Each structure stands twice: as C-alpha cells, then as structure tokens.
C-alpha cells in the first residue's frame, strides 16, 4: 500500500480516549469508523496483510504495556469465562493491573496523549510513519554543484 492510499485519520485527533482496539487500528492506519463494532481479528480479509500484522502487534504491545503498568489506562476491563461457559467482565481499578490473558481490548481505554507518549517512548513507528520513512529513503537526493 502506498502512503497516499492510506485513509485520512485526522479527525481522530479530537477523540481524547481510545479503546485499545481503536488505538491499534489507528496506529496501523486503519480507520476504526469504517470497521465499527469489529475487532482487529475480524479485519484479516478487509485490510492489507501488512496493516493487519502491524495492528495485531500494536494491540499485543499495548495490552502488555497496560498489564505491566507502563501505559496508563482510564478504564481497564477483564473478560472471564467459567467451565460452564458463563461470561462476565470485571473492571480493574488502579493501582491494580489487569492480567494479559483476560484484558478486554474493546473495553479497556487509554487517553490518546498517553498512548502517543508511550508509543514514542518505545520508538514504535505507526504504519504511516514506516511508509513515509521508506519513501524518504528511496528518494534520491539532488546535490547542487557550486559554480
């Protein structure tokens, strides 16, 4: 996919709190508004394989960071199922941290600013940044000769 083919995600800057699913989709240059109600796992056939892979990795990294306490959250939720198939959710209150196996990426939310700060601190380039960097590397530099 080319840089100019990516969706315009600029309106998402007005949304102060993102779910982990939204954050991972946005970082992978996937517009969550176009896939409302879907999880990243459901997008395998809807987006490019590279974007899908990036979104899965970004989601995993964000989940692990929340559970390790390095990415602050506004709301954290765990989903549980018992041996009889009964399902329930638990809200996790800070300073407790959710468990990686149970964290709900559709319900757990982070502030946009906190997510951006965490991603930059880990040097996690967005898919858009990765494409821009690759394009810049392929552009030949023109050197002017002095007379």
């Amino acid at each position: 996919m080319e840089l100019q083919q990516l969706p315009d995600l600029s309106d998402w800057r007005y949304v102060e709190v993102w779910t982990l699913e939204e954050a991972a989709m946005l970082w992978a240059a996937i517009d969550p508004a176009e896939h409302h109600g879907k999880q990243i796992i459901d997008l395998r056939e809807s987006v490019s394989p590279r974007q899908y892979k990036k979104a899965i990795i970004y989601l995993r990294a964000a989940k692990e960071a929340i559970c390790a306490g390095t990415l602050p959250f506004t709301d954290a939720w765990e989903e549980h199922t018992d041996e009889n198939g009964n399902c329930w959710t638990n809200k996790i209150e800070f300073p407790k941290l959710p468990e990686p196996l149970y964290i709900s990426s559709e319900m757990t939310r982070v502030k946009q600013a906190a997510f951006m700060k965490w991603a930059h601190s880990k040097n996690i380039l967005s898919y858009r940044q990765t494409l821009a960097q690759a394009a810049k590397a392929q552009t030949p530099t023109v050197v002017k000769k002095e007379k």
Side-chain angles (χ1 to χ4, degrees), residues 20 60-73 76-78 95-104 108:
L20 292 183
R60 171 82 186 272
K63 282 181 174 183
E64 294 291 340
I66 292 253
C67 296
T70 58
L71 174 56
F73 57 86
W77 292 85
E78 291 180 341
K96 283 186 66 182
L97 299 172
E99 292 291 324
L101 293 176
Y102 302 116
I103 190 168
S104 169
T108 299

Side-chain angles (χ1 to χ4, degrees), residues 81-134:
T81 305
D82 66 16
E83 62 278 351
N84 298 323
N86 299 315
C87 300
W88 70 94
T89 58
N90 284 340
K91 184 172 185 178
I92 307 301
E93 298 288 343
F94 188 81
K96 283 186 66 182
L97 299 172
E99 292 291 324
L101 293 176
Y102 302 116
I103 190 168
S104 169
S105 57
E106 313 85 64
M107 295 174 67
T108 299
R109 300 171 352 123
V110 295
K111 288 186 178 180
Q112 176 191 150
F115 181 84
M116 301 287 278
K117 183 177 178 180
W118 166 77
H120 291 299
S121 76
K122 297 294 184 185
N123 201 24
I124 303 172
L125 296 179
S126 71
Y127 184 66
R128 186 179 305 275
Q129 290 168 322
T130 303
L131 288 181
Q133 205 172 56

Side-chain angles (χ1 to χ4, degrees), residues 2-72:
E2 299 292 324
L3 192 57
Q4 62 272 17
Q5 294 174 301
L6 296 178
D8 177 8
L9 303 173
S10 60
D11 287 341
W12 281 93
R13 70 181 178 269
Y14 303 120
V15 180
E16 290 189 33
V17 180
W18 298 334
T19 66
L20 292 183
E21 289 278 339
E22 289 169 338
M25 284 185 201
L26 289 165
W27 217 241
I30 300 167
D31 189 350
E34 291 179 11
H35 304 283
H36 185 70
K38 290 186 180 177
Q39 294 178 316
I40 291 170
I41 199 80
D42 301 325
L43 303 181
R44 184 179 211 89
E45 305 299 323
S46 304
V47 298
S48 80
R50 288 185 68 206
Q51 282 178 288
Y52 178 77
K53 180 181 177 183
K54 292 282 189 184
I56 291 290
I57 293 168
Y58 296 150
L59 181 59
R60 171 82 186 272
K63 282 181 174 183
E64 294 291 340
I66 292 253
C67 296
T70 58
L71 174 56

